[in-house]
Amino acid sequence: MDRIDALRLFCSVAELGSFTKAADREGMTPGAASKQITALEERLQARLFERTTRSVRLTDAGEALLDRVRPWLDEYDGLEQGVADARSAPAGLLRVSAPVDFGARRLMPIITQFMTDWPGVEVRLSLADRMVDLVNEGFDVGVRIGNLTDSALIAKRLAPACMAVVASPDYLARAGTPQHPSELAQHEMVIDRNKPAPQLLKFLRDGEEVEVRIHGRLSLNGAVAAVTAAQAGVGIACSPRWAAEPAIEAGRVVEILTDWESEQRFLWAVFPSNRYLAHRVRLFVDFLATQFTDRI
């Protein structure tokens, strides 16, 4: 087992580029990690890392070992975990990352239900609107909305994420109701900086595509905040439907341009591709899929 642990540590150092981060992940001191890698190098009679005060880089021998040992460790972990999973209920810490508003409003009730169903699982939820590095920051799974670009992650698509264009009845009475997306360019808009291109909106209807560059005096970074601003009559907001629905149903805002579809986006569960998917993580991802069976 000490040799397996050494190989696991080797993979962590290679993945994170740091003895300190790898030691923290594996639950040991940096000094102990360095000694274990040195012992592995002596046993293999090959130098695996080039070490400087600022960086740790794989040698050619290290690259060759990593290519061979990583799939083997994944297979071993799968075998070991599969035996354990068959004999016991899921347990342990589940580290989840999610956007702030969506996490608080839509994900939190799902997490509490999951914890009720599986009392042995402890959840550490981190809410942030930045692009979180799941691997380097130690997360098991991330919940994301939009278009994915990180090829180092495995992604499970959960549901389409629809947008809604909304404004208060007072604003529409004062400024008029747009009948075509192009008219949004002449209106006061609430700009949500969380979007990849905050001032560019795209719409589609019957094969017709429209791009609109919008302007507004108020910019912010939050879907719920944008709907709140629209509700106050500041301007028109284009926000995720899940954020706008309570205000729409209460009549505080009116949805407009309903015969147009905004740019296609999706809700995803993502997790690192080079890490064995623990039983609790696999169950959580599957549970998310059962909870998001329709558009959000």
Side-chain angles (χ1 to χ4, degrees), residues 19-146:
F19 276 89
T20 300
K21 291 180 180 178
D24 183 60
R25 173 187 285 182
E26 303 300 329
M28 63 178 67
T29 65
S34 181
K35 288 181 181 179
Q36 196 166 123
I37 293 298
T38 298
L40 178 63
E41 290 176 323
E42 291 175 352
R43 186 159 57 243
L44 297 176
Q45 296 184 348
R47 190 168 184 82
L48 302 176
F49 294 102
E50 295 291 350
R51 304 167 174 84
T52 69
T53 56
R54 295 185 178 181
S55 66
V56 176
R57 185 176 60 84
L58 281 168
T59 63
D60 290 344
E63 291 277 8
L65 178 63
L66 184 65
D67 287 343
R68 298 190 66 177
V69 80
R70 181 178 281 162
W72 180 85
L73 276 177
D74 287 343
E75 185 175 350
Y76 174 82
D77 286 343
L79 176 63
E80 187 179 66
Q81 190 65 48
V83 173
D85 290 350
R87 299 179 59 187
S88 61
L93 178 62
L94 176 66
R95 294 157 294 193
V96 182
S97 169
V100 175
D101 286 342
F102 185 82
R105 177 165 290 186
R106 293 296 303 274
L107 191 60
M108 198 64 246
I110 293 172
I111 287 178
T112 56
Q113 182 59 55
F114 182 78
M115 294 176 69
T116 300
D117 293 346
W118 304 107
V121 177
E122 175 187 351
V123 177
R124 182 179 299 163
L125 175 63
S126 178
L127 301 177
D129 288 329
R130 62 183 176 84
M131 185 58 71
V132 174
D133 187 328
L134 298 186
V135 174
N136 287 332
E137 297 182 47
F139 287 99
D140 297 303
V141 60
V143 177
R144 292 181 176 172
I145 303 173

Side-chain angles (χ1 to χ4, degrees), residues 81 85 140 271-272 275-279 281-282 285:
Q81 190 65 48
D85 290 350
D140 297 303
F271 43 90
R275 184 183 302 169
Y276 173 73
L277 197 61
H279 189 33
V281 180
R282 186 168 62 253
V285 171

Side-chain angles (χ1 to χ4, degrees), residues 158-292:
L158 300 175
C162 302
M163 303 293 286
V165 184
V166 298
S168 70
D170 176 68
Y171 176 88
L172 295 176
R174 185 173 71 250
T177 301
Q179 301 300 313
H180 190 274
S182 62
E183 297 176 29
L184 295 176
Q186 280 72 56
H187 279 264
E188 187 73 19
M189 301 291 294
V190 179
I191 311 296
D192 186 350
R193 297 193 307 275
N194 272 350
K195 297 176 182 175
Q199 291 185 268
L200 186 66
L201 300 181
K202 297 181 181 180
F203 295 88
L204 177 67
R205 184 182 67 181
D206 299 331
E208 178 186 1
E209 292 187 19
V210 178
E211 286 191 359
V212 188
R213 186 160 293 278
I214 60 173
H215 306 276
R217 292 186 299 142
L218 176 62
S219 69
L220 40 75
N221 62 331
V224 174
V227 175
T228 301
Q231 179 180 311
V234 173
I236 300 174
C238 183
S239 290
R241 175 168 294 280
W242 60 263
E245 269 184 349
I248 294 172
E249 292 173 357
R252 297 190 296 268
V253 295
V254 176
E255 186 176 4
I256 61 175
L257 300 174
T258 55
D259 54 341
W260 289 83
E261 290 187 9
S262 61
E263 187 177 8
Q264 183 81 287
R265 307 172 80 208
F266 291 94
L267 175 69
W268 305 84
V270 296
F271 43 90
S273 61
N274 56 353
R275 184 183 302 169
Y276 173 73
L277 197 61
H279 189 33
R280 59 186 177 276
V281 180
R282 186 168 62 253
L283 278 178
F284 181 66
V285 171
D286 290 344
F287 186 68
L288 288 176
T290 68
Q291 300 302 301
F292 296 107

